[in-house]
Amino acid sequence: MQTQHLYFLKTYYLQSITNPASFQAEKINNLFYTFNIAAAAMLLLVIFLVIYISIKYREKKDDTGEPKQMHGNKKIEALMIGVPMLLLAYFFYETIHVEKQIAPPVNTSQQPDVIITGHQWWWEVEYPGSGVITANEVHLPVGKHLLMEMRSADVIHDWWVPELGNKMDLIPNVNNYLWLDIKKPGSYIGACSEFCGAEHAWMRINVVAQTQNDFESWLAANASNAMLPQDTITMAGARLFQEKTCSNCHRIQGTAASAMIGPDLTHIGSRKEILTGLMKNNEDNLYKWINHPQEIKPGAHMPDFILDKDSVQAIAYYLNSLK
Amino acid sequence: MNKTMMKLVVGTEAMFFVSLIMAFVYMAYNSGFEPYEVSKLDIKTTGIFTLFLFSSSFTFWMAEKKYKNGNIKSLKIWLVITILLGAIFLFGQGKEYIRLINENITLSGSVFGTSFYALTGFHGLHVFIGLIILSIILIMVFVGDFNNSSSNVIGTVGIYWHFVDIVWVFVFTVVYVLPYFTKI
Amino acid sequence: MKELVEISEPKSPFPGVGVSTDQGLLQWISSVDHKMIGIMYLTVSLFFFIIGGIEALLMRTQLAWPMLHFLGPETYNQFFTMHGTTMIFLVAMPAIFGFSVYFVPLMIGANEMAFPRMNNFSLWITFFGGLLLYFSFLAGGAPDAGWFNYAPLNEKNYSSSPGIDYYAMGLLLAGIGSVTTSINIVVTVLHMRIKGMKLNKLPLFVWMVLVNSFLLIAAFPALNAALAMVLLDRQFHAHFFNTANGGSALLWQHLFWIFGHPEVYIVILPPFGILSEVFQVFSRKPIFGYSFVAASSVAIALLAFGVWVHHMFATGLGITVDSFFAASSMLIGIPTGVKIFNWLATMYGGKIKFTVSMMFAVAFLVEFTIGGLSGIAFSIVPIDWQLTDTYYVVAHLHYVFIGGTVFGLFAGLFYWFPKMSGKMLDEKLGKWFFWLFVIGFNTTFLVQHVLGMIGMPRRVFTYPDLPWYGVLNFISTSGAFLMGASSLVLVYLIYKSIKSGKTAGDDPWDAYTLEWATSSPPELKNFDELPVVHGRRPLYDWKHPGSEDE
Ligand code: HEA
Ligand code: HEA
Ligand code: CUA
Ligand SMILES: [Cu+2]
């Protein structure tokens, strides 16, 4: 299908759990590293034994007769049990140690810094206290001990950004919490990791980690109402948006549209991508999406509409202007 | 061999009920039951019907004993009594259901309804199956299939029937007794 | 000096049907002979392996490169659900039952199962369960919520096609079949052993099947209860998992994994048993540490019930709960390691014959260790928090399922085929099959560890073109097609050997257990008489008088 323009640029560096950018991811990475050494040693031991025994004790041509019939040896058995036991005891200790560091208990009366709500198949992002509600592009400050609250509006989703560390499920009727200390500013991508229906593949995450100052100014900008229409096309678009049921599902702060069934669009024009990374955010792609949602993201909970080209164009133009 | 088989069947059934009871308790703690709905349970009437079920275990035990002694006539009588007692218990359960449904507590009405009917319903189903088996045995006894006392069929069925009773001890405790005393 | 015992007659295969008359297909369908039922189980398994494998190939084709449109999301989701469900319930389990009902009576010196008709019932109900599951494709859509079918995605409001109803009913039927077979096996082993075969003299295959049957009998009810609940929800609007009305999403996970974790050991213990036989015979030595190998199975079975939460580490249950289940999961590595090292010790000092069967067994040691070690990685909770629900899990589960279960089953197939058919499987073609399969398998799944680490979640129908994603997935897909090709070799190999294979003779491997003490294939009546058993290798003792094992 030609319509889906691939936008993920090669400029993204390799995202990997071995490339940690947060305190949590670092701790896990160190543990993973130690584990891999131990596991490799174990595996090599087994491989070595397999090869050595296979070569040394393979049946020789001229040698008939039975080998010596051995039945066991208690000392060797003790070794087989003892050595793995010691190794595992060490890793059990480390497990608890690291768990305590990266997931200390949460005092639920504390206000979370950000509330993430999973929807089929997009992320609602709310910053309590600031009045900012946005979607899909998650801005977070660097160097702060962040408490994130995880909720779900429908089925189970799962928050995962490999470079930022541990996952957390978003479960209906349950409030989960996640601590996060980001170390480096940058753009981190991740994905919903619990299967959540048709478009689970396109429920990706984009975290924009900013310095404290940048974050504050972003927050302030996003607390404002949506920009008012400036020219005739935007005005037409704004009107159509209210008329053509869009406002039944979407919210644009400062207008009559206040529904929260779909992603917030107040500052959609300032986001880099739409549909959680399926397409780059520009007027063309907005047009394609509004024109035929079910072709772009089959199964998404936004129906196809009967709109003429000009209307779609106007709406796309309008949305794109909402910086 | 038949008895070993039945013990294993009962074992797997026991795990089935353990799962259902765990689900009931989980729902009670996690989703929470409406206290108003729980208070509609009638522990006294159900308690009386429970006694009928328990005594059916005793009567079946008597039936087994008579059978071992080769006393086919008493066997018939005790079997009939057992079936009657089981049927009375089911009748009581039906009455309780009808009363609750009239109180608007239904399977699809609330978490409590769901948990309650599923757990007690599956138990009732097992009592019902037990009654069918017992009836078959009864017919066979009347036809004369058990006139020599070497078959282990009755003992095998007994394992099942006692099991159904024992399960009710747990179900009754969890569904009726505990909420009654703790008033959750 | 040999004391012989007479083995009692089997009941006729079906009331009214003569034993020897050839009734063609009807005889197969109505047969209550454990050997015919065993072969039918294996056929069912092979049949579904091809279906499940083709589903896998279609999935891998869709994933071969970023942003392909070969399968849409709905189709893809149905395929991976059906692939997982098929492979576990309709391939692995029937294959295990096939070997079990065929060889358990033979190995304990019995002429039949305890309940021959129940055996027949179990087979067919399992098969119909499978058919019902597949009927969903015609009835409006296959199940599409994954093989573990999480709530509330399995509710009507999120999955409105009838697929999940078929999933629930199909698995209930297949589950009934599995439980009845297991009951049958337990009774058979407990009551029908030949004189002298005490429980501590059981061949290890029988021993592990026995332990496994107990495990299965205890584990399946949890699944049945969960399935009944989801059916009540979907058909009668009950609220167990309906989160919008106060139901619970996590209750399903608890119930499913209380079954689901034991289930994964259910499909590995009997292959462990097969391997224990294969290692002995082809190393020409008795098992090293019989009691440790046997006891470790019991340990695995018991521990299996105490680890289920390791599938739920990311659900936020708190670090106390998580740590407890981390400990129990790690502990399972110990009895499993005991087995691995005991098998190595069995080979040590032997005279190893590298038949295809033994090659699969030896390859198993390495492949399964890879899978087991990635399992240990998950049991370290913080690592699981990174890797759960990624392709790393997909890699783990295929290394244990294929490198463990399937390799074990193939070892068994090459080992026992001569007994079942009277013909040898072609060793030369067999080696071709072995190498193609092993190379294909590692090509497919080794790279998936890396994919998981670089952020690829599982169960995605496509993925963006991030660095390395395309290449690694392409490698994986080519491996899958290599496995497909090797499976063709296998099918041809079986066909050819049945038609024109070398005649096997009664005991081609000079083996140790009683199934080799009768003709190949055995008559309807397995044995007329056998010697009283004294050691753990009855046939070896028979052939080498005066050398009884202790
Ligand atoms: C045959 C099936 C099988 C087997 C045998 C195993 C074996 C093990 N599994 Fe696996 N597992 C699955 C099938 C299996 N698993 C499946 C299907 C899933 C995914 C389900 C899904 O989500 O779809 C899964 C998922 C899974 C998870 C959840 C991952 C997640 O979703 O987040 C975990 C977590 O702890 C886990 C752990 C283990 C452990 C500790 C073992 C241990 O038993 C392994 C023990 C073996 C060894 C360790 C190797 C040999 C030992 C030695 C050589 C001795 C030395 C070793 C040490 C000192 C460590 N498994
Ligand atoms: C015993 C278990 C088993 C086996 C053997 C396999 C075998 C294979 N599996 Fe499977 N797999 C699972 C159990 C198994 N799998 C489970 C439990 C899941 C999780 C499901 C879920 O998430 O819910 C899974 C998921 C899974 C995924 C992840 C899907 C996702 O998360 O999106 C993938 C992707 O690569 C995959 C691939 C394969 C491949 C390539 C094979 C290959 O080995 C297959 C090789 C076999 C063939 C290719 C057969 C070919 C036969 C022929 C060609 C015959 C030709 C025709 C005639 C003779 C007429 N599997
Ligand atoms: Cu949301 Cu997957
Ligand atoms: Cu598990």
Side-chain angles (χ1 to χ4, degrees):
Chain A
M1 214 186 304
Q2 232 38 43
T3 45
Q4 291 188 13
H5 184 78
L6 179 65
Y7 121 83
F8 269 103
L9 303 173
K10 309 270 188 206
T11 52
Y12 272 116
Y13 55 94
L14 188 65
Q15 50 154 355
S16 165
I17 65 165
T18 56
N19 219 343
S22 77
F23 169 78
Q24 286 75 12
E26 248 169 36
K27 288 285 162 211
I28 298 177
N29 184 40
N30 294 343
L31 185 53
F32 190 47
Y33 189 78
T34 333
F35 171 77
N36 282 340
I37 292 176
M42 266 300 160
L43 181 60
L44 287 177
L45 174 71
V46 171
I47 292 179
F48 166 76
L49 288 172
V50 163
I51 294 178
Y52 174 77
I53 295 173
S54 294
I55 292 177
K56 177 136 189 239
Y57 295 104
R58 71 183 315 148
E59 189 185 33
K60 315 266 174 344
K61 272 229 175 62
D62 40 352
D63 182 10
T64 49
E66 297 278 299
K68 184 159 168 268
Q69 305 288 300
M70 287 185 290
H71 293 274
N73 177 325
K74 292 254 160 60
K75 280 199 194 113
I76 296 180
E77 301 286 352
L79 215 59
M80 293 178 192
I81 298 174
V83 174
M85 192 79 121
L86 286 177
L87 261 175
L88 291 175
Y90 169 75
F91 281 108
F92 181 58
Y93 167 79
E94 279 295 318
T95 299
I96 297 183
H97 187 66
V98 176
E99 273 180 306
K100 280 193 175 143
Q101 283 180 315
I102 64 184
V106 173
N107 174 1
T108 42
S109 64
Q110 182 184 343
Q111 190 182 46
D113 298 282
V114 47
I115 299 175
I116 311 262
T117 309
H119 295 257
Q120 278 180 325
W121 292 272
W122 59 280
W123 306 90
E124 176 187 332
V125 188
E126 186 187 340
Y127 299 86
S130 71
V132 174
I133 297 176
T134 177
N136 295 340
E137 198 175 285
V138 187
H139 288 250
L140 293 173
V142 166
K144 206 167 165 240
H145 190 47
L146 294 170
L147 180 62
M148 305 174 68
E149 186 174 320
M150 303 292 186
R151 299 178 184 167
S152 168
D154 36 52
V155 301
I156 304 179
H157 303 276
D158 183 80
W159 167 272
W160 185 41
V161 184
E163 287 142 291
L164 299 184
N166 39 331
K167 291 191 175 67
M168 185 50 80
D169 279 358
L170 297 83
I171 304 172
N173 299 345
V174 174
N175 288 351
N176 272 337
Y177 296 91
L178 184 72
W179 292 106
L180 182 58
D181 299 76
I182 307 178
K183 292 209 157 162
K184 286 182 285 204
S187 177
Y188 304 106
I189 52 176
C192 171
S193 300
E194 186 65 78
F195 180 67
C196 53
E199 284 293 346
H200 160 67
W202 289 114
M203 185 163 168
R204 300 191 60 90
I205 305 172
N206 186 3
V207 172
V208 180
Q210 296 166 303
T211 59
Q212 196 72 34
N213 283 342
D214 289 356
F215 177 73
E216 296 295 346
S217 46
W218 176 86
L219 205 59
N222 274 263
S224 63
N225 285 347
M227 220 154 342
L228 289 175
Q230 303 294 330
D231 50 46
T232 44
I233 309 182
T234 32
M235 276 199 248
R239 194 173 33 82
L240 283 165
F241 190 89
Q242 304 295 340
E243 284 169 3
K244 300 289 179 191
T245 66
C246 312
S247 55
N248 290 349
C249 294
H250 291 284
R251 169 178 181 274
I252 295 184
Q253 195 180 319
T255 75
S258 59
M260 300 278 287
I261 295 168
D264 175 277
L265 300 176
T266 309
H267 298 281
I268 171 102
S270 69
R271 303 212 281 260
K272 292 210 189 66
E273 51 198 36
I274 55 171
L275 306 172
T276 75
L278 182 60
M279 294 198 290
K280 189 175 176 141
N281 185 8
N282 56 33
E283 210 184 309
D284 271 3
N285 285 337
L286 282 169
Y287 177 90
K288 285 175 193 156
W289 165 245
I290 299 162
N291 190 37
H292 209 337
Q294 291 304 315
E295 187 174 302
I296 306 290
K297 194 171 177 179
H301 294 314
M302 174 159 143
D304 286 343
F305 301 98
I306 305 161
L307 292 169
D308 58 71
K309 272 192 160 177
D310 291 344
S311 311
V312 180
Q313 196 68 58
I315 299 175
Y317 186 77
Y318 164 64
L319 289 179
N320 199 38
S321 76
L322 298 177
K323 297 292 176 195
Chain B
M1 290 206 301
N2 284 345
K3 283 196 173 171
T4 317
M5 187 264 285
M6 188 49 84
K7 280 179 197 155
L8 291 166
V9 171
V10 161
T12 183
E13 291 278 32
M15 291 304 289
F16 181 75
F17 278 104
V18 167
S19 307
L20 285 177
I21 291 174
M22 266 166 32
F24 185 90
V25 174
Y26 189 92
M27 290 308 249
Y29 278 93
N30 234 271
S31 305
F33 292 156
E34 194 68 54
Y36 161 80
E37 291 183 338
V38 180
S39 73
K40 288 291 163 197
L41 290 179
D42 184 352
I43 185 170
K44 296 206 181 75
T45 320
T46 311
I48 292 169
F49 283 108
T50 300
L51 292 181
F52 282 100
L53 187 65
F54 289 167
S55 33
S56 81
S57 233
F58 169 74
T59 56
F60 193 88
W61 178 70
M62 286 304 287
E64 276 179 78
K65 227 170 87 167
K66 295 293 169 199
Y67 174 60
K68 276 202 197 106
N69 298 342
N71 189 343
I72 300 291
K73 203 160 157 233
S74 314
L75 167 68
K76 286 179 193 161
I77 297 172
W78 285 114
L79 265 184
V80 171
I81 299 178
T82 309
I83 294 176
L84 278 180
L85 289 171
I88 293 174
F89 171 79
L90 274 190
F91 171 76
Q93 196 173 17
K95 247 184 71 175
E96 172 90 337
Y97 276 17
I98 292 173
R99 195 179 53 77
L100 288 174
I101 290 171
N102 284 337
E103 299 267 5
N104 227 342
I105 299 174
T106 59
L107 179 73
S108 57
S110 65
V111 185
F112 172 71
T114 295
S115 317
F116 172 79
Y117 288 107
L119 180 52
T120 55
F122 270 111
H123 178 264
L125 186 68
H126 280 75
V127 176
F128 184 67
I129 293 171
L131 287 181
I132 293 178
I133 300 176
L134 287 178
S135 310
I136 295 173
I137 298 277
L138 188 66
I139 294 170
M140 287 168 77
V141 173
F142 272 99
V143 174
D145 282 349
F146 285 96
N147 283 347
N148 62 342
S149 58
S150 67
S151 158
N152 60 13
V153 168
I154 292 193
T156 308
V157 172
I159 298 176
Y160 178 81
W161 189 251
H162 297 311
F163 162 74
V164 170
D165 273 9
I166 294 169
V167 169
W168 184 250
V169 176
F170 290 99
V171 174
F172 186 69
T173 311
V174 170
V175 177
Y176 284 88
V177 180
L178 289 182
Y180 184 76
F181 286 109
T182 53
K183 294 270 185 269
I184 41 168
Chain C
M1 68 153 274
K2 278 290 169 197
E3 184 190 349
L4 291 175
V5 269
E6 222 176 287
I7 315 291
S8 62
E9 292 268 347
K11 305 192 184 80
S12 65
F14 193 75
V17 178
V19 172
S20 52
T21 42
D22 182 17
Q23 312 238 341
L25 199 60
L26 180 69
Q27 198 187 353
W28 281 94
I29 292 176
S30 59
S31 175
V32 294
D33 173 31
H34 71 97
K35 298 182 289 296
M36 284 176 126
I37 292 179
I39 289 177
M40 283 190 282
Y41 263 122
L42 291 171
T43 316
V44 167
S45 169
L46 185 65
F47 170 71
F48 280 114
F49 178 70
I50 291 171
I51 296 186
I54 290 173
E55 281 160 356
L57 290 185
L58 292 172
M59 275 154 51
R60 278 307 336 159
T61 311
Q62 161 66 19
L63 292 175
W65 203 248
M67 312 289 278
L68 292 185
H69 294 281
F70 174 67
L71 301 176
E74 274 92 6
T75 326
Y76 183 88
N77 295 344
Q78 294 176 12
F79 275 12
F80 79 69
T81 304
M82 290 300 275
H83 164 75
T85 315
T86 304
M87 286 295 191
I88 294 176
F89 293 98
L90 305 175
V91 177
M93 308 257 305
I96 284 165
F97 289 140
F99 284 130
S100 304
V101 300
Y102 197 111
F103 287 106
V104 164
L106 281 166
M107 289 171 104
I108 62 173
N111 271 334
E112 59 185 351
M113 296 282 286
F115 305 101
R117 287 209 232 177
M118 189 157 105
N119 205 9
N120 175 292
F121 165 79
S122 310
L123 164 74
W124 290 109
I125 199 150
T126 305
F127 185 60
F128 285 129
L131 289 187
L132 196 61
L133 188 63
Y134 268 89
F135 185 69
S136 61
F137 272 115
L138 304 177
D144 55 2
W147 83 276
F148 49 68
N149 197 40
Y150 270 4
L153 201 60
N154 58 13
E155 293 281 285
K156 256 231 144 88
N157 42 340
Y158 297 112
S159 180
S160 53
S161 83
I164 287 171
D165 302 301
Y166 281 97
Y167 167 94
M169 287 183 298
L171 291 194
L172 272 175
L173 291 187
I176 290 170
S178 309
V179 171
T180 47
T181 312
S182 300
I183 290 176
N184 209 342
I185 290 172
V186 172
V187 178
T188 307
V189 176
L190 292 186
H191 288 280
M192 299 176 63
R193 276 164 295 142
I194 186 177
K195 195 172 166 206
M197 188 179 274
K198 301 207 193 72
L199 280 180
N200 66 358
K201 299 262 188 299
L202 278 182
L204 281 168
F205 174 68
V206 180
W207 176 257
M208 290 191 203
V209 168
L210 177 67
V211 172
N212 198 49
S213 300
F214 278 112
L215 185 59
L216 198 154
I217 291 169
F220 260 74
L223 174 69
N224 292 344
L227 292 173
M229 285 152 103
V230 81
L231 275 177
L232 284 176
D233 273 15
R234 290 176 64 91
Q235 299 295 337
F236 302 103
H237 312 288
H239 292 324
F240 282 112
F241 311 118
N242 186 335
T243 45
N245 286 311
S248 164
L250 287 178
L251 174 61
W252 171 271
Q253 296 194 18
H254 284 294
L255 285 174
F256 187 90
W257 290 119
I258 286 174
F259 150 78
H261 188 85
E263 168 68 12
V264 306
Y265 292 118
I266 285 169
V267 300
I268 198 72
L269 279 179
F272 281 176
I274 297 176
L275 292 160
S276 303
E277 302 298 334
V278 168
F279 278 119
Q280 299 185 64
V281 169
F282 293 115
S283 305
R284 314 302 314 150
K285 276 178 65 208
I287 191 84
F288 189 90
Y290 176 96
S291 43
F292 286 90
V293 176
S296 63
S297 310
V298 182
I300 291 176
L302 291 177
L303 281 170
F305 282 103
V307 302
W308 79 89
V309 166
H310 71 207
H311 298 273
M312 302 166 62
F313 281 155
T315 55
L317 292 176
I319 56 180
T320 321
V321 176
D322 287 358
S323 306
F324 173 84
F325 285 93
S328 56
S329 307
M330 289 175 185
L331 278 180
I332 285 201
I334 291 170
T336 317
V338 165
K339 284 195 158 64
I340 300 270
F341 291 124
N342 274 305
W343 289 324
L344 279 166
T346 305
M347 287 165 67
Y348 185 86
K351 281 188 183 148
I352 305 168
K353 285 198 169 97
F354 280 99
T355 59
V356 177
S357 174
M358 186 63 175
M359 284 163 76
F360 270 111
V362 173
F364 157 92
L365 290 173
V366 176
E367 310 288 14
F368 181 77
T369 301
I370 298 178
L373 289 171
S374 57
I376 300 292
F378 295 134
S379 70
I380 300 172
V381 182
I383 299 182
D384 185 78
W385 282 342
Q386 274 282 22
L387 291 176
T388 181
D389 278 317
T390 67
Y391 260 81
Y392 201 90
V393 175
V394 178
H396 163 70
L397 75 87
H398 286 95
Y399 265 90
V400 284
F401 271 146
I402 299 182
T405 305
V406 174
F407 276 37
L409 292 171
F410 281 152
L413 183 69
F414 278 85
Y415 178 58
W416 277 324
F417 189 85
K419 179 53 55 182
M420 292 189 283
S421 69
K423 302 282 173 61
M424 300 298 283
L425 274 183
D426 188 318
E427 285 279 313
K428 196 148 163 241
L429 257 181
K431 284 187 178 144
W432 271 98
F433 165 62
F434 171 81
W435 286 111
L436 279 177
F437 192 79
V438 168
I439 294 171
F441 163 59
N442 285 290
T443 317
T444 313
F445 296 109
L446 201 60
V447 291
Q448 292 186 353
H449 292 103
V450 181
L451 278 171
M453 282 157 57
I454 63 175
M456 181 158 162
R458 65 193 285 203
R459 299 172 159 184
V460 291
F461 74 96
T462 190
Y463 49 89
D465 189 7
L466 295 166
W468 291 100
Y469 274 38
V471 182
L472 293 177
N473 274 296
F474 189 77
I475 295 175
S476 178
T477 300
S478 4
F481 277 92
L482 203 55
M483 289 178 89
S486 72
S487 308
L488 286 178
V489 176
L490 175 70
V491 172
Y492 173 68
L493 174 71
I494 294 175
Y495 169 79
K496 190 184 147 207
S497 304
I498 290 176
K499 271 205 83 167
S500 60
K502 251 195 332 199
T503 309
D506 291 355
D507 186 12
W509 311 122
D510 188 10
Y512 299 156
T513 37
L514 289 177
E515 77 270 30
W516 304 101
T518 178
S519 59
S520 306
E523 300 287 308
L524 184 67
K525 186 177 182 199
N526 297 338
F527 308 105
D528 289 323
E529 42 182 24
L530 284 172
V532 173
V533 170
H534 295 289
R536 285 171 184 150
R537 294 185 292 167
L539 194 56
Y540 179 89
D541 298 340
W542 201 4
K543 289 186 260 189
H544 304 255
S547 68
E548 270 91 21
D549 300 351
E550 266 333 295

